[in-house]
Amino acid sequence: MAGYIQMGMKDIITDSMPVQGTLYDPANEHDACGVGFVAQVNGRRSNRILEIGLHAICSLMHRGALDADAKTGDGAGITTQIPYKIFAKEVARMGHQLFQESDLAVGVLFLPHDNAYAQARAKAITEEVLKKRDLFLFGWREVPVNLRVLGDKAQLTMPRIEHVLIGKPWGMSDNDYERRLFLARNEIENIAEADQIRNFYIPSFSHRMICYKGLLVSASLEKFYQDLCDPDYETAFTVYHQRYSTNTFPTWPLAQPFRMLGHNGEINTVRGNRNWMEAREAELKADFWGKDIDLLKPIIQPGGSDSASLDNALEILSMSGRGILQAMHMLVPPAWRNDKRVSPELAAFYEYHSCICEPWDGPAALVFTDGITVGACLDRNGLRPARYKLTDDGIFSLGSEVGITGLDHESIIEKGRLAPGEMIAVDTAQGVLLRDEQIKNSLATRRDYKGWLQKNLTRIPDISASEIKVPEEKLDALSLTRQQVAFGYSSEDIDMILKPMFKDAAEAVGSMGDDTPLAVLSLRPRLLYTYFKQLFAQVTNPPIDPIREKLVMSLQTVMGWRRNLLSETGEHAEQVSLSSPVLSNET
């Protein structure tokens, strides 16, 4: 049965998806998976780093689901640095020569599997955009694969997978080159969408990293992609991911890692995050994007999972000059307000960025990379595991479980785990392991965030209970009852909800079902708040609220104009800060 989703600003048809008009909504895609990375701290490339990463992802096979054919999985994949030894041979075979390895970029394209004409058109669009962007086209490479390891469903929906090999314009910096590739990819997607080319997706388009992923189980990844068996495949890091699609339909594009990250967990605030990102698109501007700024829109590509949406947000922030470590702290900040260990400068960093961007709330264990720095972090609740090891020869590994890498125990000099809100990273260019405290201190001193807040942020002071004026007029029982009826309160509300709150100073907790009709369908007058229902995580997350969980949650509310997402100025802090969204006459 053919179906439809939209992914990456273009339409994708997959045989395993339900048709349009059904109750399925791709906006509800979630993930709960196995994730991790392996890196050589000194940045030296080797085939061993790939082997360890492949061993680790195979050890996480139980974290993904398996179809009845015992071959089709929810998706698995890896992201590494571009293996220059392999692709330099391909460039030479095409009649060209690389002046330096970093000039090479590789685009991975999932082309329409059932339409040769659409395949040709997608490749023609790619070539046209590369020429327009002054990017040199070395040629095309069909990716060698082994179809026998795929299950029936994976084979039916498998795209044609090709690499486009690209050369850097003379004199361009590495960062500008990566931005040029980013714009080219977005333009290719836009034109393909306008031409209604379906089942087209670009997993990676970079001169730093390359993604190999598919709708298969992790044990089949190396067997399917024959490049991964080549001893010339050398990299300084490997990011790996085994997907478990929670209440969703597995597809080739939704396999992870995405373009910059892999995610284990769920983003519970994803609807609000997507809406806020869309609301900020009108304010976007940056000198280095210039007239191409519209190619960045929509920031969140429709049809993706919660993980894909977070990846979109991370990509635009890190590409726009902030750096991947700062971008991750903006999107997934730790619980800092009630943590006495947080320095004033670091607290100012987080409070300033709360004026720009809302947190993408987990549970989340996130592994991320921009091709140079590779790292991992947990959200502020820390409800997903992330354990790490460091060997005496400088290999750092982190994953959802212990014992998955096969490293010799005698070589391990350090082991540990990430705590809630912590981050760790390896900078392969500088050859250093960046600890949580070091990362945060570096970010806190980038700008005078404390001075910007003192100058621009307006704080509404807390009002204590003793300062709130209570009307002296006392209501008699009849008047009280009349007002309760007038405002829609029932005796059940009084006995079951209000009295426990007065008695215990806590919200009443109950079980069993709620058979009260939805307010919008009820024939009786209802209180305003009963027309709203709280969204909640559907899988393995415990109930949580800002009163019981005050150490990791806050009711602090910031109001005002949210300025350009891509810049960083003192004026961004010109907002009003409230300790709670609940206002009284005094506030």
Side-chain angles (χ1 to χ4, degrees):
M1 181 171 60
Y4 166 88
I5 66 169
Q6 190 180 39
M7 178 68 180
M9 297 186 288
K10 66 203 95 22
D11 293 339
I12 295 176
I13 289 289
T14 65
D15 293 334
S16 63
M17 303 289 286
V19 297
Q20 283 179 297
T22 67
L23 295 177
Y24 170 77
D25 183 352
N28 295 323
E29 293 280 349
H30 294 285
D31 298 299
C33 327
V35 67
F37 77 90
V38 182
Q40 184 73 50
V41 174
N42 62 16
R44 186 177 65 251
R45 296 175 181 236
S46 70
N47 184 251
R48 186 186 178 204
I49 297 300
L50 175 67
E51 290 179 345
I52 296 172
L54 290 172
H55 186 283
I57 193 174
C58 290
S59 301
L60 291 175
M61 182 174 167
H62 61 282
R63 281 185 169 262
L66 196 65
D67 197 75
D69 60 14
K71 290 184 177 181
T72 303
D74 282 346
I78 63 167
T79 293
T80 71
Q81 292 175 323
I82 294 175
Y84 291 129
K85 287 185 178 180
I86 293 177
F87 285 98
K89 297 176 186 176
E90 294 295 324
V91 172
R93 184 179 59 81
M94 296 169 183
H96 305 284
Q97 180 181 357
L98 290 172
F99 293 108
Q100 54 184 6
E101 292 177 333
S102 60
D103 289 347
L104 175 68
V106 180
V108 182
L109 275 65
F110 284 179
L111 299 169
H113 65 283
D114 55 354
N115 190 328
Y117 180 73
Q119 290 177 12
R121 177 56 184 151
K123 292 174 70 172
I125 291 170
T126 303
E127 294 179 9
E128 291 168 5
V129 172
L130 292 177
K131 183 178 180 180
K132 174 184 175 182
R133 297 279 168 188
D134 294 325
L135 296 167
F136 186 79
L137 173 66
F138 288 122
W140 291 88
R141 173 182 187 250
E142 185 177 352
V143 181
V145 296
N146 178 9
L147 297 177
R148 292 191 297 273
V149 303
L150 294 181
D152 295 337
K153 291 182 180 179
Q155 288 195 37
L156 287 173
T157 60
M158 176 190 161
R160 179 179 177 85
I161 307 173
E162 293 203 24
H163 290 156
V164 56
L165 276 57
I166 306 164
K168 182 173 75 171
W170 181 257
M172 180 177 286
S173 70
D174 282 353
N175 287 338
D176 288 340
Y177 187 24
E178 194 72 1
R179 290 192 185 105
R180 182 79 62 90
L181 292 164
F182 174 64
L183 290 174
R185 190 198 77 207
N186 285 353
E187 188 168 6
I188 292 167
E189 292 174 336
N190 283 350
I191 298 173
E193 181 185 21
D195 285 0
Q196 298 183 346
I197 298 177
R198 299 184 176 182
N199 210 17
F200 174 63
Y201 177 71
I202 303 177
S204 63
F205 207 84
S206 169
H207 86 290
R208 293 172 176 162
M209 52 190 173
I210 186 170
C211 179
Y212 288 86
K213 68 179 184 179
L215 192 61
L216 37 71
V217 294
S218 56
S220 300
L221 186 65
E222 183 179 8
K223 301 172 185 175
F224 177 69
Y225 286 111
Q226 296 178 25
D227 286 346
L228 303 181
C229 300
D230 193 327
D232 284 338
Y233 197 121
E234 295 181 348
T235 178
F237 70 79
T238 299
V239 172
Y240 55 86
H241 190 279
Q242 167 66 65
R243 185 173 188 239
Y244 180 80
S245 55
T246 310
N247 301 329
T248 60
F249 295 89
T251 67
W252 283 80
L254 288 179
Q256 295 191 44
F258 288 112
R259 289 152 181 163
M260 296 194 80
L261 64 76
H263 171 214
N264 170 25
E266 296 179 57
I267 303 300
N268 292 331
T269 56
V270 66
R271 181 178 296 183
N273 295 136
R274 288 167 175 164
N275 290 340
W276 276 114
M277 283 293 176
E278 183 179 1
R280 295 193 178 99
E281 289 176 1
E283 302 290 341
L284 293 183
K285 56 184 177 180
D287 293 339
F288 44 73
W289 295 127
K291 63 181 180 181
D292 291 317
I293 193 72
D294 287 339
L295 286 176
L296 276 59
K297 306 171 186 177
I299 298 174
I300 307 301
Q301 298 179 341
S305 64
D306 55 343
S307 308
S309 296
L310 177 56
D311 180 76
N312 295 153
L314 174 62
E315 189 174 35
I316 191 173
L317 287 173
S318 59
M319 284 284 186
S320 298
R322 278 194 169 87
I324 195 166
L325 299 180
Q326 182 182 2
M328 282 304 306
H329 274 280
M330 286 179 63
L331 296 169
V332 191
W336 58 272
R337 290 189 185 275
N338 297 315
D339 189 345
K340 296 180 180 179
R341 297 169 298 176
V342 174
S343 67
E345 292 76 18
L346 185 57
F349 169 84
Y350 290 124
E351 185 167 20
Y352 170 81
H353 284 94
S354 71
C355 299
I356 302 175
C357 181
E358 300 74 28
W360 292 62
D361 214 4
L366 296 159
V367 173
F368 51 86
T369 182
D370 59 3
I372 299 174
T373 299
V374 57
C377 67
L378 291 186
D379 73 298
R380 55 189 173 184
N381 293 299
L383 299 177
R384 292 295 182 271
R387 302 179 182 274
Y388 66 84
K389 294 179 180 179
L390 178 65
T391 66
D392 53 12
D393 57 351
I395 294 178
F396 182 87
S397 69
L398 179 144
S400 296
E401 298 182 12
V402 296
I404 59 176
T405 55
L407 294 171
D408 184 1
H409 291 289
E410 294 182 356
S411 68
I412 296 171
I413 58 175
E414 181 184 343
K415 61 175 66 175
R417 67 178 181 88
L418 291 186
E422 283 192 352
M423 177 183 290
I424 199 164
V426 174
D427 185 336
T428 61
Q430 300 297 322
V432 294
L433 175 62
L434 302 172
R435 309 282 182 165
D436 180 67
E437 185 177 359
Q438 180 182 357
I439 294 170
K440 290 175 178 175
N441 289 340
S442 175
L443 294 175
T445 55
R446 287 185 72 255
R447 300 279 191 274
D448 183 16
Y449 298 112
K450 189 175 180 181
W452 284 353
L453 291 173
Q454 291 173 346
K455 180 179 179 181
N456 297 294
L457 185 65
T458 301
R459 304 179 190 274
I460 304 299
D462 292 340
I463 303 297
S464 65
S466 60
E467 296 177 277
I468 298 177
K469 298 179 181 179
V470 180
E472 296 181 359
E473 177 186 0
K474 294 184 179 180
L475 295 175
D476 56 68
L478 180 59
S479 298
L480 177 61
T481 302
R482 285 174 178 170
Q483 292 200 24
Q484 289 172 344
V485 172
F487 284 93
Y489 285 95
S490 65
S491 58
E492 187 178 56
D493 293 328
I494 304 297
D495 294 334
M496 304 298 294
I497 299 176
L498 295 181
K499 283 184 179 179
M501 291 174 69
F502 296 147
K503 180 180 178 182
D504 303 323
E507 186 177 353
V509 177
S511 60
M512 304 300 288
D514 180 5
D515 59 356
T516 307
L518 294 175
V520 71
L521 301 177
S522 177
L523 299 178
R524 296 178 177 273
R526 300 286 296 275
L527 292 170
L528 177 63
Y529 68 80
T530 62
Y531 285 84
F532 302 90
K533 294 291 183 181
Q534 182 179 5
L535 291 175
F536 65 96
Q538 300 180 31
V539 193
T540 58
N541 309 314
I544 193 168
D545 69 58
I547 298 176
R548 282 190 288 262
E549 305 293 340
K550 61 183 179 180
L551 291 179
V552 294
M553 298 189 72
S554 171
L555 291 175
Q556 195 79 22
T557 302
V558 179
M559 301 187 302
W561 173 26
R562 301 298 175 97
R563 297 173 185 265
N564 178 21
L565 182 68
L566 306 184
S567 64
E568 194 174 32
T569 67
E571 287 73 24
H572 281 70
E574 289 183 350
Q575 299 196 33
V576 176
S577 177
L578 298 167
S579 60
S580 169
V582 180
L583 300 179
S584 65
N585 290 333
E586 284 71 20
T587 57

